[in-house]
Amino acid sequence: MVCSGLRVEFSLLMNIYLETFGCQMNRLDSELIAELLRVGGHTMTDSAAADVVLYNTCSVRDHAEQKVYSRIGRDAKAKAAGRKLIVGVVGCMAQRAKADLRRRCPCVDLICSPGQLHRLVGLIEAAAAGKAAKLHIASDPGRAEPPDQEAQRLLEEVDRTRNPLAAPSASQAFVRVMRGCNKFCSYCIVPFVRGAEHSRPPQPIYEEVKKLVEAGRSEITLIGQTVNSYCYRQGDSAVRFGDLLEFLSPIADLRRLRFVTSHPVDFDRPILEAMRDLPNVCPYIHVPPQSGSDAMLAAMNRKYTRGEYDTLIDAAREIVPDVVFAGDFIVGFPGETEEDHLASAELIRRTSYKNSFVFKYSPRPGTQAAKKLADDVPEAVKKHRNNELLAVQREVGLAHHRSYVGRSVEVLVTGPSRRCDKQPAPATADSMQLMGRSRGDHIVIFDGPRSLTDQYITIKITDANDLTLFGEMEELQ
Ligand code: SAH
Ligand code: SF4
Ligand code: F3S
């Protein structure tokens, strides 16, 4: 059987459970993995019915890794009690913690780094057939080693030949424009586990978006760890991210073009102008500052100052109508003083983010910060600062969302609201609580028939809280 241009043959058909941790890169990888497995004749299932459990893992904070160790601990007990199970660790932790996994987790049968996903099906097959070595491993080269060009070619094939109907939503899909990261923020593990930055050529990106849109996925989100650093060079010319938006925007029936996550340094004027001029590019920018203090930004190796970040936000406000911002912050980075912390709180107020993610600093082995700086902010202080930033964010989030009351927004309906997911639909199928997203990425809640799922509709906003808009249907578009 041939799958995605890669040869896959199976002697055994298995029930496979795949659990995903981490960011949008892992979510897309999991979609592609599940499809490779399905094409191979396997069945995706829940954990109770599985012959194979796969964890697509994240290493960005220790907490993310501990969750996976606890899943593996549970599987080890089940295996010890006689359950026949293949356990696989895929993704960033497979690259970062393979030595620990080998030592601590004898129940793990296979380990597959993020740059080796095209080999995963073969690893599962080998593990199922009980071949040779007990542990089956496919690893990426380290940052100091030459890149594995054949692996990069095969991985590109997996993206290029993906089945557009496999995207979990009928109206939305992710498209990768770049891999890896070269920024080396001092706290961050990503450049070590995802390898060097590599931008895909524009043409296969175009073909992929077109194929997905033709399959009904009219909202496309371009993804990369620093998506706006995209730069494809050929000879003397370079296609940068603003050019890529211009290239993709005219695709017929592409109603919304989004992108995450942006790095402040590479957010140039052409991107802002593309956002202003191209009607389907959504006015939403997730541009994490990490801190509002120059001392912290320098220690984090973020390569911009607070003043430069403010200038970017002001330019975006001036150029892109109705622009909406989201941010990430790290609290308790080594040496963070109360004054540094207050600068972050002040930045949240100044920028008026729609939402912010706040993380307590977690030292990652091998990073510059972990090697050189003592993790000297006590856990209780980190917790307190985390809560303080979240409280400030709640305030500005409320003001931001309230400013939409009385306005009408276009919403792509994603389905029943989370409340309806938890409880059975309250009334008839003609009226239930639905949820959708505005062009600015606001969560919008309203009542309507379930059949509106995956459609665009205009909602008049009547109320708001710090994270959500509430409204009433105006018309179907
Ligand atoms: N590429 C994105 C984000 C990558 S990781 C960017 O550069 O903006 C997602 C978020 O996790 C980061 O924005 C940062 O806020 C947080 N993060 C990364 N490493 C961390 C660490 N060691 N401790 C705590 N938070 C971390
Ligand atoms: Fe990590 Fe910095 Fe790269 Fe983002 S830009 S992935 S925070 S190293
Ligand atoms: Fe985590 Fe890997 Fe993404 S470390 S944040 S899953 S790139």
Side-chain angles (χ1 to χ4, degrees), residues 52-77:
V52 181
V53 294
L54 297 177
Y55 300 113
N56 193 7
T57 57
C58 174
S59 283
V60 83
R61 284 169 290 277
D62 184 55
H63 182 64
E65 292 196 348
Q66 293 313 322
K67 278 197 245 173
V68 174
Y69 281 123
S70 102
R71 299 286 197 284
I72 294 172
R74 192 189 57 193
D75 298 334
K77 277 196 196 134

Side-chain angles (χ1 to χ4, degrees), residues 3-310:
C3 153
S4 302
L6 307 165
R7 206 170 119 78
V8 262
E9 282 177 359
F10 289 106
S11 47
L12 280 168
L13 298 183
M14 286 167 282
N15 294 314
I16 300 176
Y17 170 68
L18 171 62
E19 185 171 354
T20 308
F21 301 84
C23 66
Q24 60 273 14
M25 262 52 75
N26 269 15
R27 282 167 62 194
L28 176 57
D29 284 345
S30 284
E31 176 193 323
L32 299 175
I33 292 169
E35 185 58 9
L36 286 174
L37 293 167
R38 268 191 227 106
V39 170
H42 302 289
T43 307
M44 302 311 291
T45 180
D46 58 24
S47 63
D51 312 310
V52 181
V53 294
L54 297 177
Y55 300 113
N56 193 7
T57 57
C58 174
S59 283
V60 83
R61 284 169 290 277
D62 184 55
H63 182 64
E65 292 196 348
Q66 293 313 322
K67 278 197 245 173
V68 174
Y69 281 123
S70 102
R71 299 286 197 284
I72 294 172
R74 192 189 57 193
D75 298 334
K77 277 196 196 134
K79 281 174 95 160
R83 180 167 170 199
K84 224 173 145 237
L85 196 63
I86 294 171
V87 179
V89 177
V90 184
C92 297
M93 215 177 138
Q95 179 67 6
R96 196 205 71 76
K98 50 186 172 282
D100 288 353
L101 285 163
R102 282 180 105 140
R103 207 185 56 240
R104 281 177 56 181
C105 308
C107 91
V108 169
D109 301 284
L110 66 95
I111 297 180
C112 182
S113 293
Q116 306 288 326
L117 294 185
H118 53 285
R119 290 171 63 189
L120 179 61
V121 174
L123 292 180
I124 295 174
E125 180 192 20
K131 278 187 193 153
K134 237 183 128 251
L135 180 64
H136 302 269
I137 297 195
S139 266
D140 289 336
R143 281 298 301 233
E145 297 166 75
D148 181 347
Q149 285 180 348
E150 178 60 3
Q152 284 178 356
R153 192 185 66 75
L154 290 168
L155 217 51
E156 171 65 26
E157 278 301 286
V158 175
D159 279 61
R160 200 182 61 76
T161 59
R162 72 192 272 199
N163 172 4
L165 296 172
S169 150
S171 54
Q172 300 168 301
F174 286 134
V175 170
R176 187 183 341 256
V177 302
M178 62 183 305
R179 295 179 182 280
C181 181
N182 282 354
K183 293 282 190 274
F184 288 99
C185 301
S186 63
Y187 51 81
C188 185
I189 198 68
V190 171
F192 301 94
V193 289
R194 287 274 169 170
E197 189 180 301
H198 168 78
S199 292
R200 297 177 66 200
Q203 195 59 36
I205 298 174
Y206 182 94
E207 307 292 342
E208 196 175 323
V209 172
K210 189 160 173 286
K211 188 166 78 170
L212 285 157
V213 174
E214 282 167 2
R217 278 65 181 164
S218 59
E219 181 182 282
I220 298 294
T221 303
L222 306 177
I223 63 169
Q225 275 297 354
T226 56
V227 68
N228 61 321
S229 313
Y230 176 88
C231 182
Y232 182 75
R233 289 179 198 281
Q234 209 163 27
D236 287 342
S237 68
V239 179
R240 294 182 189 280
F241 192 63
D243 306 319
L244 185 69
L245 292 175
E246 248 184 77
F247 181 51
L248 300 175
S249 171
I251 291 175
D253 300 323
L254 172 59
R255 283 194 64 158
R256 288 181 175 183
L257 188 54
R258 300 187 177 286
F259 53 91
V260 282
T261 310
S262 296
H263 192 286
V265 158
D266 295 314
F267 221 109
D268 56 17
R269 209 175 162 89
I271 304 177
L272 294 173
E273 288 171 354
M275 295 181 78
R276 176 193 63 197
D277 298 338
L278 305 171
N280 51 1
V281 176
C282 292
Y284 167 76
I285 310 179
H286 182 184
V287 61
Q290 312 299 355
S291 170
S293 140
D294 276 336
M296 288 298 103
L297 291 173
M300 289 175 172
N301 191 30
R302 286 292 287 180
K303 305 181 177 80
Y304 53 86
T305 61
R306 167 62 193 275
E308 285 162 346
Y309 187 87
D310 288 346

